Amino acid sequence: MSIGLILLGIVSALVLFGVAQRVLDKMQLSDRAALIIAAAIFFGGLIPDIRVGRVAFNLGGAAIPLGVCAWLLIKTDTKKEAVRALIGSVITAAAVFLLGKIMPDEPERIIIDPNYVYGLVGGGIAYLLGRSRRAAFICGVLGVVLADIAVAVVNWSKGIDQTLVLGGAGAMDTIVISGLLAVLLAELVGEIYERMARPHRRENSDPVDTPVRKGEKR
């Protein structure tokens, strides 16, 4: 079983035990919706890729995650957040694309699976650019997909007859790792900032009860 499917199983367990409730609330997702999405990606990833011309896509590895991104874009609180998510996706794609250019081609020189590296780097950059949970997830998923498209376009321009595979095989691991890592970083950093701000808020609050003036109501 691939690392992407394993991570989906872990996420589903966390949702069932209520551990991920805070993150889901921030992303405006219910427990049921999150479990349905995780199951759809899991089982969709086991279905053979669907090919249309020179493009092949996997339901669990590309179609469903992209559908979630589209839904999250619609649910963004402000237009600024949506624009930040889209711009961040393009920058994340550029970073992953350039990383692919410098990664060694020889298997004996590769210590870790490149798909994991792309996912980790993509997720980290996606968090920095997206900031919010929703925008970070969008950057992480859409950025990896755009990077795959860019690679195919470059190869086609060079006359290389290659099928563009979206979300298939190891690419699904990259997309899952990138999206989940971006959300996890956004949650952890957000929680740290909130905990750091709480003592400051207590110091600024007035502990003395202000007397009620004549004519005023509590």
Side-chain angles (χ1 to χ4, degrees):
M1 184 179 294
S2 68
I3 186 66
L5 296 180
I6 293 174
L7 290 175
L8 287 173
I10 295 174
V11 169
S12 298
L14 293 176
V15 172
L16 285 172
F17 286 106
V19 178
Q21 186 61 55
R22 173 188 167 91
V23 180
L24 295 178
D25 289 343
K26 294 289 185 179
M27 298 181 70
Q28 296 186 9
L29 287 172
S30 64
D31 291 354
R32 182 178 180 182
L35 289 173
I36 291 175
I37 292 172
I41 294 176
F42 185 96
F43 291 107
L46 302 177
I47 299 175
D49 299 343
I50 300 173
R51 180 162 182 166
V52 181
R54 301 173 71 183
V55 178
F57 63 92
N58 184 273
L59 289 176
I64 295 173
L66 288 176
V68 175
C69 288
W71 186 83
L72 290 176
L73 274 173
I74 296 174
K75 300 295 289 184
T76 50
D77 293 330
T78 62
K79 185 177 180 180
K80 181 179 179 181
E81 183 182 6
V83 172
R84 185 174 70 245
L86 293 175
I87 294 176
S89 298
V90 174
I91 299 175
T92 301
V96 174
F97 176 83
L98 294 175
L99 179 62
K101 293 295 184 180
I102 63 176
M103 287 286 290
D105 296 328
E106 300 81 1
E108 60 273 7
R109 296 179 56 191
I110 300 176
I111 302 176
I112 183 175
D113 190 323
N115 290 313
Y116 300 166
V117 177
Y118 299 148
L120 293 172
V121 173
I125 296 175
Y127 156 68
L128 293 174
L129 298 173
R131 308 299 295 181
S132 70
R133 282 80 169 171
R134 284 176 297 221
F137 181 85
I138 294 169
C139 291
V141 172
L142 187 55
V144 171
V145 173
L146 291 176
D148 287 339
I149 294 175
V151 171
V153 170
V154 170
N155 289 336
W156 290 339
S157 67
K158 295 178 180 178
I160 301 175
D161 187 11
Q162 163 191 337
T163 300
L164 168 59
V165 181
L166 298 176
M172 178 181 177
D173 292 336
T174 303
I175 290 174
V176 171
I177 292 172
S178 181
L180 292 182
L181 177 61
V183 174
L184 178 62
L185 289 175
E187 174 63 19
L188 290 177
V189 176
E191 179 67 17
I192 291 173
Y193 278 142
E194 288 183 12
R195 289 181 179 275
M196 292 175 61
R198 285 170 192 166
H200 180 69
R201 290 171 185 167
R202 293 196 193 99
E203 291 175 2
N204 291 338
S205 61
D206 188 359
V208 180
D209 187 21
T210 304
V212 178
R213 296 179 182 177
K214 186 177 181 181
E216 292 181 343
K217 297 181 180 180
R218 280 189 181 275

